[in-house]
Each structure stands twice: as C-alpha cells, then as structure tokens.
C-alpha cells in the first residue's frame, strides 16, 4: 500500500472519513495503524468492509469487478476508466476464482464477471440495513453476527 493507506484493508484517510460520516462511526487513523498503540484489528476490518459496502450501495457499483475498482481507485474509478484500478480489480477477480463462498454468495462466474446463478447482485443482504455495531459476517456458508 501507499503512505496514506492504513490497516489490514489498506484504507486511505479520505475513505475512512467517508466511512465514518456515512455510517456514523468514529474509527480513527490510529486504530488502523498497526504501529500505533491504539491499533484495533476489529476496527481495521470494520473500516475496510464498510468502505467495500459503500462501493456498492453509495457509489452504485454494478458488479464485484466494479466494487474492486472503486475500492482501489475511489468512487470515480469506473466512470474515469482508471487503468490502475482496473488492473487491480482484474487481479482481485483472478484470485477470487477459487473462493467458493464469495462465488456462491454473489452468483458470479468470477473469471468472466458474468451471472452464473439466478440470485441477483441487487438482492443480497445489505450492509446499509445492517447495524455495523453488530458486526455481520459470512463464514462457513452462513450469515451470522457478533455483538460488541
């Protein structure tokens, strides 16, 4: 990651500000910085997942490929045809080919970016509707949540 990217999910300061404002959170840069004594792994994960959700719900990504482009290159990466973000997104989609829970959840053939199952991208569980204080996760083929 670059100088301004922090935490496990390499969230930039501008993206963290957007996440905090959009979801009403108060995650600090210090909580994302593993070299800081206030580092908080859970907050780091929450910031990354929340920003990824924003690419879909706030910035209207139409596919996992567009979500990855926006995550890497910002909300305008798709509209501006950001080549670096497209390369990043292509590499992510290539790596995701073997990750079955992602493929099953979204119903996409990740190698081609095409629908392979009837479940639509738009009808998936929404983080917008999820209280992020009750952290929701997908594991072992099921949705669950943990409370603080």
């Amino acid at each position: 990651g670059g100088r301004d990217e922090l935490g496990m999910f390499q969230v930039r300061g501008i993206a963290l500000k957007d996440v905090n404002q959009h979801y009403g959170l108060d995650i600090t840069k210090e909580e994302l910085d593993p070299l800081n004594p206030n580092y908080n792994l859970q907050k780091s994960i929450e910031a990354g997942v929340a920003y990824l959700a924003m690419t879909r719900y706030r910035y209207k990504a139409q596919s996992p490929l567009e979500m990855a482009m926006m995550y890497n290159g910002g909300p305008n990466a798709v509209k501006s045809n950001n080549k670096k973000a497209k390369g990043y997104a292509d590499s992510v989609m290539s790596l995701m080919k073997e990750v079955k829970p992602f493929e099953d959840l979204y119903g996409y053939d990740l190698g081609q970016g095409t629908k392979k199952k009837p479940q639509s991208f738009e009808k998936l569980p929404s983080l917008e509707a999820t209280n992020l204080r009750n952290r929701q996760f997908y594991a072992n083929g099921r949705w669950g949540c943990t409370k603080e």
Side-chain angles (χ1 to χ4, degrees):
R3 292 185 304 212
D4 64 337
E5 297 165 348
L6 295 169
M8 177 183 289
F9 286 83
Q10 296 292 283
V11 175
R12 293 183 184 116
I14 188 101
L16 179 60
K17 182 179 177 184
D18 209 9
V19 162
N20 281 332
Q21 183 178 18
H22 186 72
Y23 288 108
L25 301 174
D26 189 25
I27 301 171
T28 66
K29 288 182 181 181
E30 291 77 20
E31 291 173 315
L32 300 187
D33 184 354
L35 301 176
N36 190 295
N38 294 323
Y39 176 67
N40 183 318
L41 178 61
Q42 193 158 348
K43 296 279 186 169
S44 182
I45 293 168
E46 183 174 2
V49 170
Y51 187 61
L52 186 61
M54 285 179 67
T55 65
R56 179 171 159 207
Y57 298 108
R58 183 170 184 195
Y59 305 131
K60 308 299 183 203
Q62 299 298 307
S63 68
L65 180 74
E66 287 188 2
M67 289 173 71
M69 282 183 71
M70 290 178 185
Y71 191 92
N72 179 261
N76 294 315
V78 175
K79 290 178 189 172
S80 68
N81 198 25
N82 182 317
K83 302 286 187 223
K84 183 178 174 192
K86 176 71 165 81
Y88 167 84
D90 286 341
S91 70
V92 168
M93 293 298 104
S94 179
L95 291 171
M96 293 303 295
K97 284 181 184 177
E98 300 302 316
V99 180
K100 298 302 181 195
F102 184 90
E103 184 174 307
D104 290 345
L105 176 65
Y106 288 97
Y108 277 84
D109 174 347
L110 298 176
Q112 303 299 316
T114 57
K115 297 293 278 175
K116 106 178 201 182
K117 292 187 176 186
Q119 182 181 22
S120 76
F121 182 73
E122 294 76 22
K123 293 188 180 188
L124 293 171
S126 166
L127 276 180
E128 289 286 355
T130 301
N131 176 351
L132 288 178
R133 304 251 181 252
N134 293 328
R135 287 166 182 77
Q136 191 167 20
F137 63 92
Y138 184 76
N140 300 323
R142 301 183 337 176
W143 283 99
C145 70
T146 59
K147 296 189 179 200
E148 288 184 341

